Amino acid sequence: MTQALNAAGQRAGVIGLGNMGGGMALSLHRAGFAVTGFDPSPAAREALAASGMALVDSIAALVAASDVIVLSLPTSDIVEKVVLGEDGILAHARHPVILLDTSTADPTSTVRIAQALAGSPISFVDGPVSGGPKAAHSGNMTMLLGGDEAVLARLAPALDVMTGKRVRVGPVGAGHSAKLLNNLLCGVHLVAAGEAMRIARGAGLDPEEILKGINAGSGRSGVTEVNYPTWILNDAFNSGFTMKLMRKDLRLAAGLIERAGAGAPLSAEALRLWRESAGDVADSDDFNCIVNYEEKQ
Ligand code: NAD
């Protein structure tokens, strides 16, 4: 396949080639970026072997071949190791690099990394994403960006390829905070909508019809408008986003609430329900399964 020219002339590296990172790497490759990928998992590398992108076995090799580096990693601990560790990105950066962390991560760690990178050739921004693996593959993710506007402008060619929608929400770390608050609200809305539907059923009403009414009114949310018709009412529960990932995000959100010192009793109650659901709803289940949690008690 002939590649389209990448007008920006930027080379892209992707570290973490899993469900999300693999799709991002393919989107960039398709758009004409010279893409280099790194992931210690043989299965992740194997999935991209036929793509034609360069798959390297060290962070040093990836840094040498990249002007823009995208991270899509499971946790902040791993992000810190990959960026600041002995054999990490900072240790090998000899030329200007823009580093974009798309992982859903702990904002305190993000700020710590930005401070450690000050004065280095690395410009760091956070851009956690939503839309799932499908949007990562199609280049249609929504991204919440934290970072310097001038750096984001230089990153625009890669962002154009990876996102359908993006919003800058503040300085470094703000993207990760916004993502956690978004997922906190989604977690609260799932619990609340699950209750409303249970109340409707208990009152002898048809939840599907009641939902249509709610979606015409001010009680609607992304959960009632998207999650219910797409994954819940039809019992599909196949959004591609697991309880495990959502539990991670809500644990991080709990840390954000604690540090902010803001009273958040409603969030605390919803977080308690998500935590206590662990005995009934498996980590591997779809995150929408929380709507049925009370019923199982
Ligand atoms: P994943 O487990 O499929 O992929 C993570 C990849 O990172 C794996 O291939 C793993 O081998 C690799 N990895 C682990 N340690 C590494 C290291 N030291 N160096 C390089 N690679 C390493 O996870 P995912 O679903 O792709 O999620 C990635 C990030 O995106 C997470 O932070 C997740 O919370 C976030 N996210 C996921 C979704 C989703 O629907 N899957 C949606 C939005 C955000």
Side-chain angles (χ1 to χ4, degrees):
M1 192 177 74
T2 313
Q3 283 188 1
L5 279 180
N6 161 31
Q10 290 172 333
R11 302 162 302 159
V14 181
I15 300 183
L17 300 169
N19 290 321
M20 298 299 291
M24 293 182 217
L26 284 171
S27 294
L28 289 162
H29 182 61
R30 228 178 17 242
F33 280 80
V35 178
T36 304
F38 171 77
D39 193 308
S41 152
R45 291 196 304 272
E46 181 56 31
L48 295 171
S51 68
M53 71 180 73
L55 299 170
V56 294
D57 58 8
S58 73
I59 290 178
L62 183 137
V63 174
S66 306
D67 304 303
V68 168
I69 299 177
V70 178
L71 305 180
S72 178
L73 296 164
T75 64
S76 284
D77 285 351
I78 296 177
V79 172
E80 288 203 26
K81 189 169 147 251
V82 163
V83 180
L84 305 177
E86 205 181 322
D87 206 22
I89 296 171
L90 178 60
H92 296 289
R94 306 271 178 272
H95 62 277
V97 169
I98 304 176
L99 178 59
L100 166 66
D101 184 15
T102 69
S103 323
T104 303
D106 180 349
T108 53
S109 164
T110 306
V111 170
R112 207 163 42 238
I113 292 172
Q115 285 165 350
L117 293 179
S120 81
I122 304 170
S123 306
F124 186 47
V125 296
D126 53 323
V129 293
S130 55
K134 207 170 146 195
H137 275 81
S138 64
N140 202 25
M141 299 184 298
T142 296
M143 193 177 282
L144 302 177
L145 287 152
D148 188 79
E149 301 211 41
V151 176
L152 293 178
R154 279 159 49 214
L155 196 56
L159 296 178
D160 285 346
V161 166
M162 294 191 288
T163 64
K165 192 192 267 188
R166 57 184 195 259
V167 186
R168 179 185 179 269
V169 292
V172 172
H176 282 145
S177 291
K179 172 73 177 168
L180 298 184
L181 289 172
N182 179 74
N183 283 19
L184 173 64
L185 279 178
C186 181
V188 170
H189 291 169
L190 277 164
V191 169
E195 285 184 5
M197 292 300 102
R198 246 186 330 274
I199 295 166
R201 262 194 300 277
L205 299 162
D206 178 347
E208 207 157 327
E209 296 303 316
I210 296 299
L211 197 71
K212 284 183 198 159
I214 290 171
N215 282 336
S218 56
R220 69 185 187 276
S221 64
V223 164
T224 61
E225 289 190 311
V226 179
N227 297 42
Y228 261 88
T230 316
W231 301 300
I232 299 174
L233 286 175
N234 57 6
D235 267 337
F237 291 101
N238 61 352
S239 72
F241 192 63
T242 60
M243 288 295 286
K244 184 178 181 185
L245 284 175
M246 188 62 164
R247 285 180 174 131
K248 173 191 112 174
D249 297 359
L250 294 179
R251 268 197 306 276
L252 291 173
L256 181 60
I257 293 172
E258 201 179 311
R259 285 190 301 279
L266 181 59
S267 300
E269 184 59 11
L271 291 174
R272 184 186 66 73
L273 286 166
W274 276 88
R275 265 195 317 275
E276 287 185 2
S277 71
D280 287 78
V281 190
D283 263 358
S284 54
D285 284 341
D286 191 89
F287 81 120
N288 289 293
C289 289
I290 196 70
V291 296
N292 292 326
Y293 170 60
E294 261 329 292
E295 282 183 337
K296 289 182 182 166
Q297 297 302 292

